[in-house]
Amino acid sequence: MIGRIPKRFFVYGVLTALLVSAPLHLNNYWLDVLNNVGLYVILGLSLNLIVGHSGLFNLGHAAFYAMGAYTAAILNTLFHIPILMLIPASALTAGIFALIIVRPIIHLRGDYLCIVTIGVGEIVRIALINDIFGITGGANGIFGISRPILFGMKISKPDEFFWLIWIFVAITVFLFYRLEQSRFGRALNYLREDEVAAEGSGINTAYYKLAAFVLGAAWAGMAGTIYAAKMMTIAPESFNFWESVLMFTLIIMGGSGSIPGVILGAFLIIGLPELFREFKDARMLVFGIAMVAMMIFRTGGILPPRPRKYPIDHAQEGSVNP
Amino acid sequence: MSLLRLQNLTKKFGGLTAVDDVSFDTYQGEIVGLIGPNGAGKTTVFNLITGNYKPNSGDIVFDGRSIAGMPTHTIVSLGIARTFQTIRLFQQLSVLENALAGCHCRMHSGIFGGMFHTPAQKREEREALELAMAELTFLGLDKQADLAANSLSYGNQRLLEIARALTTKPRLLILDEPAGGMNEQETAALVQLIRKIRERGITVLLIEHDMGLVMEVCEKLVVIEYGIKIAEGAPAEIKENPRVIEAYLGTQDDE
């Protein structure tokens, strides 16, 4: 029986157990690092729908992250709505924003789309700095966001945030994994492989491109809400181009279109630099070298996606190889 | 009533008229061949039918409904499936997933169904899997279902394209040079396959350069040269048609 369970599931099990026991043996500093990693896992997975599964280059994902964070921050500070109740509102705002922005540019391909998304990211950041509509607080951002309260318990310490963030990660992983194994997930992959063939096979490619963007943006918006709750203060510089690059890089490095890959990528890109604080300045250099090496030796990332499994009858093959 | 009717179809690319005032009918259950020299506009006609191009003028009527200008995926869902002249499979995905692509337009589950695997979604997924496997078996590719599409031989990749088209449950199947790159044995098997597809009640429209195949399998031929229809009729008539012979071989004066 044990032979039937792939070895990697034991590895996943051990790693999950280590993660779950982290609050017992890590100090607050390292828990906070883990919380950051968790946030980037959520962001990475949301961007993975767009970049990894659909093959649409998006280097402006921080804009959607910012939309979520600012929506939550503004509604919380102005109307005192509990921050966790604002998660759906943030998802909706970021999703609708993505719909409006991406609808006219969805026919763009590859690098053209990429350049427009960079532009969108910059426009959002600069609009926030310029205190658009007088509600974003300009370059200083928004202060005094209240702590989240869950089941009557106030979440403020890193170990409490650890559970909030990593449970959200677990839910995201579960839902996105199911989504991968469905008609929707397949449609995104067909789109990535060959758009003309996908359309010719009866797939509404424009719809799926848009759906990938909107869903990815909505999820990034939710991550933004958690970020706002965790930091209690947000500023435009937290959502700059570099953030988009980080999210993009962790996907490419970990494994484009692969959930374990994205999680590993987040640990490497966000977690690893904390281990080598002394060499912080060399971070760019190491990333650069690592990316070059990846492009040459392992183009699919460290953990590329595994093919989906389908319950089909292998009777004939089985009889050849009993 | 014809299943597919092309009425005075014209398509221009700048100054070039690729398809010029072409009209013909395809009836339910026929196998029709569209032939002509290279660059005659055959694939352009196919691309017009499947919605990849929009005609400048003229109309395309499928089953009593005008489909000119409709998006490709809508046309596929109405019952016209195609294969491509240059193989366009989803190379990195498995053979089975390529076949499943065609099932997509007959399924309904969306993001919610995908995330929560609702009973309706599971049933639909099971049915799609059965259909895809049935079509792969029909084409003799069922044993390779788990392989990546790009690991198949060239001939089998062509068959997989047909499988993907068949899983859309088409009424009209459009094959763009299905025998391209096939050896003689594979071509002979293809003739049988096209007949079997017709026996299932699917009308077949094909472009092919292999005249042996065309003459053997088609009941009606439409000949195009420089975007203009020059002849239409049974293979035997077409073979004797002086204009067709001229188009393919040139006249004696040219020599």
Side-chain angles (χ1 to χ4, degrees):
Chain A
M1 275 306 281
I2 288 168
R4 289 227 181 137
I5 305 168
K7 217 190 286 170
R8 66 176 192 281
F9 286 133
F10 289 109
V11 177
Y12 293 163
V14 169
L15 292 177
T16 310
L18 268 179
L19 186 70
V20 168
S21 65
L24 295 177
H25 49 73
L26 286 185
N27 62 25
N28 279 349
Y29 174 77
W30 284 105
L31 278 180
D32 196 53
V33 170
L34 273 184
N35 290 347
N36 267 332
V37 171
L39 267 178
Y40 278 90
V41 170
I42 302 168
L43 289 168
L45 288 175
S46 71
L47 183 61
N48 187 39
L49 280 179
I50 305 166
V51 173
H53 282 295
S54 318
L56 302 165
F57 289 153
N58 173 11
L59 267 173
H61 209 52
F64 307 130
Y65 184 33
M67 289 304 287
Y70 270 85
T71 304
I74 291 165
L75 292 178
N76 178 263
T77 51
L78 287 185
F79 305 109
H80 306 289
I81 304 168
I83 191 116
L84 289 182
M85 284 174 66
L86 288 168
I87 285 181
S90 302
L92 204 64
T93 317
I96 291 173
F97 176 70
L99 186 68
I100 295 167
I101 291 294
V102 177
R103 186 80 188 80
I105 59 168
I106 201 69
H107 60 280
L108 295 177
R109 282 156 206 262
D111 28 10
Y112 296 96
L113 181 67
C114 187
I115 286 166
V116 176
T117 58
I118 293 172
V120 170
E122 283 301 281
I123 289 167
V124 167
R125 185 180 65 86
I126 292 164
L128 293 174
I129 290 175
N130 288 330
D131 198 5
I132 191 166
F133 309 129
I135 52 172
T136 70
N140 294 327
I142 296 174
F143 305 86
I145 302 158
S146 65
R147 290 292 190 191
I149 294 169
L150 202 61
F151 307 121
M153 209 178 72
K154 197 169 201 177
I155 297 173
S156 55
K157 291 203 284 289
D159 59 328
E160 293 159 351
F161 268 107
F162 175 85
W163 294 112
L164 177 70
I165 290 173
W166 282 94
I167 287 172
F168 196 88
V169 170
I171 295 169
T172 306
V173 168
F174 175 75
L175 292 179
F176 281 20
Y177 175 76
R178 298 294 283 271
L179 199 58
E180 266 182 17
Q181 308 291 321
S182 74
R183 172 180 182 255
F184 186 86
R186 280 198 304 270
L188 298 186
N189 288 170
Y190 297 143
L191 190 64
R192 179 190 65 202
E193 293 288 317
D194 188 332
E195 200 182 319
V196 175
E199 182 78 23
S201 309
I203 291 154
N204 187 346
T205 49
Y207 167 80
Y208 279 97
K209 282 194 214 173
L210 208 53
F213 256 102
V214 170
L215 186 61
W219 227 271
M222 292 197 267
T225 310
I226 294 176
Y227 175 78
K230 176 171 170 287
M231 302 308 287
M232 295 173 78
T233 161
I234 53 170
E237 278 316 305
S238 310
F239 310 101
N240 58 21
F241 177 58
W242 174 238
E243 292 299 307
S244 299
V245 173
L246 277 184
M247 297 175 210
F248 194 89
T249 315
L250 70 89
I251 291 175
I252 302 296
M253 189 171 264
S256 189
S258 146
I259 291 175
V262 170
I263 298 172
L264 177 68
F267 271 97
L268 290 181
I269 301 274
I270 309 301
L272 214 52
E274 294 293 335
L275 278 179
F276 303 104
R277 279 240 112 163
E278 316 77 284
F279 307 112
K280 201 164 183 286
D281 295 338
R283 185 155 94 142
M284 297 293 133
L285 187 68
V286 174
F287 277 180
I289 293 170
M291 288 301 273
V292 171
M294 295 281 311
M295 288 304 114
I296 297 170
F297 298 110
R298 210 175 161 91
T299 46
I302 300 171
L303 294 174
R306 306 180 64 83
R308 294 182 188 81
K309 288 266 174 275
Y310 293 92
I312 50 171
D313 200 7
H314 286 287
Q316 281 127 331
E317 283 162 56
S319 61
V320 179
N321 253 334
Chain B
M1 195 182 70
S2 62
L3 182 66
L4 180 76
R5 165 168 286 174
L6 270 55
Q7 279 172 340
N8 310 101
L9 204 61
T10 301
K11 175 68 187 173
K12 291 177 182 154
F13 295 109
L16 175 81
T17 307
V19 176
D20 193 356
D21 203 27
V22 168
S23 306
F24 65 87
D25 284 283
T26 306
Y27 294 90
Q28 176 75 41
E30 272 186 327
I31 300 176
V32 179
L34 186 62
I35 61 170
N38 283 328
K42 305 181 295 291
T43 297
T44 308
V45 171
F46 276 17
N47 281 331
L48 286 167
I49 298 170
T50 55
N52 294 63
Y53 299 149
K54 313 253 172 287
N56 291 83
S57 65
D59 202 5
I60 305 161
V61 180
F62 178 68
D63 197 24
R65 185 192 326 213
S66 169
I67 58 166
M70 277 188 183
T72 303
H73 65 266
T74 312
I75 293 174
V76 175
S77 67
L78 289 175
I80 301 181
R82 75 171 295 179
T83 65
F84 293 91
Q85 184 178 2
T86 50
I87 290 173
R88 298 197 82 134
L89 290 169
F90 308 114
Q91 298 286 351
Q92 308 292 325
L93 301 178
S94 71
V95 168
L96 176 62
E97 287 189 315
N98 272 276
L100 278 172
C103 302
H104 185 94
C105 64
R106 305 290 171 223
M107 297 165 79
H108 305 284
S109 72
I111 293 174
F112 184 84
M115 281 186 170
F116 295 98
H117 285 207
T118 54
Q121 190 268 354
K122 280 185 189 163
R123 186 177 348 105
E124 187 180 77
E125 198 75 6
R126 204 165 46 237
E127 284 166 5
L129 207 55
E130 276 167 20
L131 174 66
M133 280 313 286
E135 294 297 358
L136 288 178
T137 309
F138 178 71
L139 290 152
L141 294 171
D142 50 323
K143 299 223 176 60
Q144 281 113 305
D146 282 336
L147 299 179
N150 59 10
S151 66
L152 292 183
S153 71
Y154 201 76
N156 280 346
Q157 291 196 17
R158 289 233 172 258
L159 293 181
L160 181 54
E161 277 220 336
I162 297 176
R164 183 176 68 189
L166 286 174
T167 51
T168 66
K169 297 184 181 167
R171 296 179 60 198
L172 174 67
L173 178 63
I174 297 184
L175 304 172
D176 198 345
E177 291 196 30
M182 282 189 174
N183 61 32
E184 268 177 49
Q185 269 177 320
E186 287 170 325
T187 307
L190 182 68
V191 170
Q192 296 308 314
L193 177 69
I194 292 172
R195 290 198 174 124
K196 274 202 302 199
I197 291 171
R198 194 259 304 272
E199 277 164 28
R200 288 170 51 175
I202 299 168
T203 310
V204 179
L205 178 60
L206 62 95
I207 291 178
E208 187 49 67
H209 281 296
D210 186 327
M211 279 305 143
L213 181 142
V214 169
M215 294 298 166
E216 197 180 338
V217 81
C218 295
E219 285 133 10
K220 186 170 87 181
L221 293 178
V222 175
V223 191
I224 291 184
E225 188 192 18
Y226 300 121
I228 300 164
K229 186 176 90 173
I230 57 170
E232 180 177 352
E237 299 167 37
I238 295 293
K239 244 191 249 181
E240 307 300 323
N241 187 313
R243 281 206 65 188
V244 177
I245 294 167
E246 188 189 319
Y248 270 90
L249 302 174
T251 54
Q252 278 185 326
D253 299 343
D254 290 347
E255 284 173 13

